[in-house]
Amino acid sequence: MAARLFAGKEHASVYQQYRFSPPEKLQGVIWSYLEKKKVSSLELAVDVGCGSGQSTLWLAKRFEKVVGTDISEAQIEEAKQAAHPPNVSYLVCPAEDLPFEDNSVDFILSFAAVHWFDIPRFMKEVERVLKPSGCVVLATNCMDMQLHYKDCTEKLTEIFKEFRKEIFKYANERIGRVEDDYQTVFDALPFQDKQRITDIFGAVPFTVAGVLGYFQSFSMYQTFLRAEPEAAKSLIQDTEKRILEVMGVSSLDTPMEIRMRHATVLGCKKS
């Protein structure tokens, strides 16, 4: 059974505000892979576990039709309410029961989501719905991110590590699939033609407020918030104070960035 940790309306709203599409370098890896595999048909792409639709919109630039799917009605509602081009649509459905015909999909993407799925069942669906020579990319942000501002990277990153340690006691066991850089996901993909890349590095621009919002979008923080609301809010307030002090600024609108590493599994169905 898939884990349902992002289904709440408030969590979906936070997700919409602070989550992002695959960063530029990861985008480049994905497009290069599709070109290398000579994916000639760009008719239909499916973004599985699309959340509030950030990656879905990115795919719309390349494919004739893009469908974002998610098990959460609240997430899909957020996606539908956001501006999107006419070739994008959204559906509420489990990743393990995709409403597409056999051999009908050119490309499947799942960004920062597949670790929550029932992986064996999801992989059967990937194999069923992809066209011969169709491709799948399963990518995630890794846990060893850095906070960057001027010469404060080391101190800021230490603050993040302490924040992560505090909330990690509320982490779902499936986070282990992220910690192993998607080795489990790679092993489960039923294609001979597959590869795993774990050294894709990129940076995502944020403000201080955006970084704090991103932290609050983590499933383990939301679980912490439900279990111990006052302690969770206090942790965010303390983290905010410490970040501002280290940066030597007072405005939450101060630009900074998160430097990330991405793990990615790429596969192609036999023609």
Side-chain angles (χ1 to χ4, degrees):
M1 180 181 294
R4 301 189 65 172
L5 300 178
F6 300 86
K9 188 173 182 179
E10 290 184 6
H11 194 178
S13 178
V14 171
Y15 215 85
Q16 170 63 38
Q17 292 179 68
Y18 299 112
R19 289 297 177 120
F20 44 86
S21 61
E24 186 175 350
K25 288 187 178 180
L26 178 56
Q27 291 182 22
V29 169
I30 294 170
W31 294 136
S32 294
Y33 180 77
L34 294 181
E35 290 171 4
K36 178 183 176 182
K37 294 301 176 182
K38 296 181 172 57
V39 176
S40 56
S41 175
L42 299 176
E43 293 177 6
L44 175 60
V46 179
D47 182 13
V48 185
C50 69
S52 45
Q54 289 82 353
S55 299
T56 320
L57 296 177
W58 168 66
L59 290 174
K61 300 174 184 178
R62 296 286 187 105
F63 288 86
E64 294 176 24
K65 180 180 179 181
V66 182
V67 181
T69 73
D70 202 281
I71 199 170
S72 166
E73 292 183 12
Q75 292 279 7
I76 291 297
E77 188 58 34
E78 288 285 346
K80 287 180 175 180
Q81 289 182 8
H84 56 274
N87 65 327
V88 169
S89 61
Y90 297 99
L91 294 172
V92 177
C93 71
E96 302 83 4
D97 187 16
L98 298 173
F100 302 99
E101 298 292 331
D102 296 359
N103 305 308
S104 65
V105 176
D106 296 290
F107 179 60
I108 291 175
L109 173 70
S110 184
F111 179 53
V114 73
H115 45 278
W116 302 117
F117 302 164
D118 180 327
I119 288 182
R121 291 180 58 205
F122 170 65
M123 292 301 183
K124 288 181 180 179
E125 283 294 86
V126 169
E127 189 169 27
R128 180 183 68 81
V129 304
L130 272 183
K131 293 178 180 178
S133 300
C135 292
V136 57
V137 172
L138 311 169
T140 191
N141 308 314
C142 298
M143 302 295 289
D144 52 349
M145 59 187 70
Q146 296 180 326
L147 304 187
H148 177 70
Y149 177 79
K150 296 184 177 179
D151 60 351
C152 303
T153 298
E154 187 174 338
K155 290 181 179 179
L156 289 171
T157 299
E158 187 58 36
I159 293 171
F160 167 67
K161 288 179 179 178
E162 292 174 13
F163 173 85
R164 184 181 62 193
K165 183 178 179 181
E166 282 294 312
I167 65 174
F168 209 81
K169 59 189 174 183
Y170 288 100
N172 185 280
E173 62 182 8
R174 299 186 189 198
I175 286 292
R177 296 168 175 171
V178 177
E179 291 187 293
D180 78 359
D181 288 346
Y182 270 20
Q183 180 66 53
T184 302
V185 175
F186 175 80
D187 292 342
L189 184 63
F191 300 155
Q192 289 186 338
D193 185 354
K194 60 182 179 179
Q195 65 184 102
R196 182 174 70 107
I197 306 173
T198 62
D199 58 352
I200 305 166
F201 296 90
V204 181
F206 277 100
T207 61
V208 176
V211 166
L212 294 166
Y214 178 59
F215 289 175
Q216 290 174 79
S217 77
F218 293 176
S219 62
M220 60 189 91
Y221 177 80
Q222 290 291 319
T223 304
F224 182 25
L225 183 63
R226 290 191 294 272
E228 302 182 58
E230 294 307 315
K233 292 173 185 176
S234 178
L235 176 62
I236 282 290
Q237 291 167 358
D238 180 62
T239 301
E240 174 188 315
K241 180 181 177 183
R242 293 176 67 195
I243 287 175
L244 292 172
E245 287 177 351
V246 165
M247 292 171 62
V249 301
S250 58
S251 173
L252 291 172
D253 293 327
T254 303
M256 60 185 303
E257 66 182 23
I258 299 181
R259 294 178 173 177
M260 296 183 173
R261 182 172 64 87
H262 307 284
T264 307
V265 174
L266 311 98
C268 188
K269 183 176 176 180
K270 187 175 180 180
S271 58

